[in-house]
Amino acid sequence: MRALLVCVLMLATGVASADTLATCQAQKQTDDAVQLCVETARLHSTNQLRKQSAATRAAVRAKAQSGESQGLLHDYRRLEARHVRERNSLCRKQETPLERDACIADMNEAHGAQLSRLMQ
């Protein structure tokens, strides 16, 4: 089951890693504009993920303290650690800084979606 999850995430990341870059390239004409678009997307996704992680962490802790869901805190921590590990591993393999920034943006958005599913 875990191997299947990793494969699905890697496939989604492979598809998603081209998404931010492709979107910015389709919208912008110059290389500088594409670079600015990708950097903005990375910063936006990082800030959104930071806010969502804090909200999710607070909700998970509240549920764990109330005794409602003991394993949820463990699942959250495992999900966060896996995100950082996979983001670093996959994005480091990108050839250019622009591709790395796009990869980070896409991985952050994918992780945000995972956090949303965790809380459902």
Side-chain angles (χ1 to χ4, degrees), residues 46-57:
T46 300
N47 288 335
Q48 288 299 104
L49 184 59
R50 188 175 293 125
K51 291 175 188 175
Q52 188 174 7
S53 289
T56 302
R57 188 179 321 111

Side-chain angles (χ1 to χ4, degrees), residues 98-110:
L98 189 64
E99 290 173 341
R100 282 190 288 276
D101 281 349
C103 177
I104 290 169
D106 293 330
M107 290 288 289
N108 286 345
E109 289 181 19

Side-chain angles (χ1 to χ4, degrees), residues 14-32:
V15 171
S17 67
D19 192 43
T20 297
L21 186 56
T23 300
C24 287
Q25 287 173 334
Q27 292 175 351
K28 307 298 179 186
Q29 299 292 324
T30 65
D31 289 342
D32 289 340

Side-chain angles (χ1 to χ4, degrees), residues 10 17 85-97 99-100 103-104:
M10 289 181 76
S17 67
R85 193 173 48 250
E86 290 175 352
R87 184 194 63 206
N88 290 341
S89 173
L90 292 172
C91 294
R92 192 176 295 137
K93 294 177 184 176
Q94 303 301 315
E95 295 179 10
T96 66
E99 290 173 341
R100 282 190 288 276
C103 177
I104 290 169

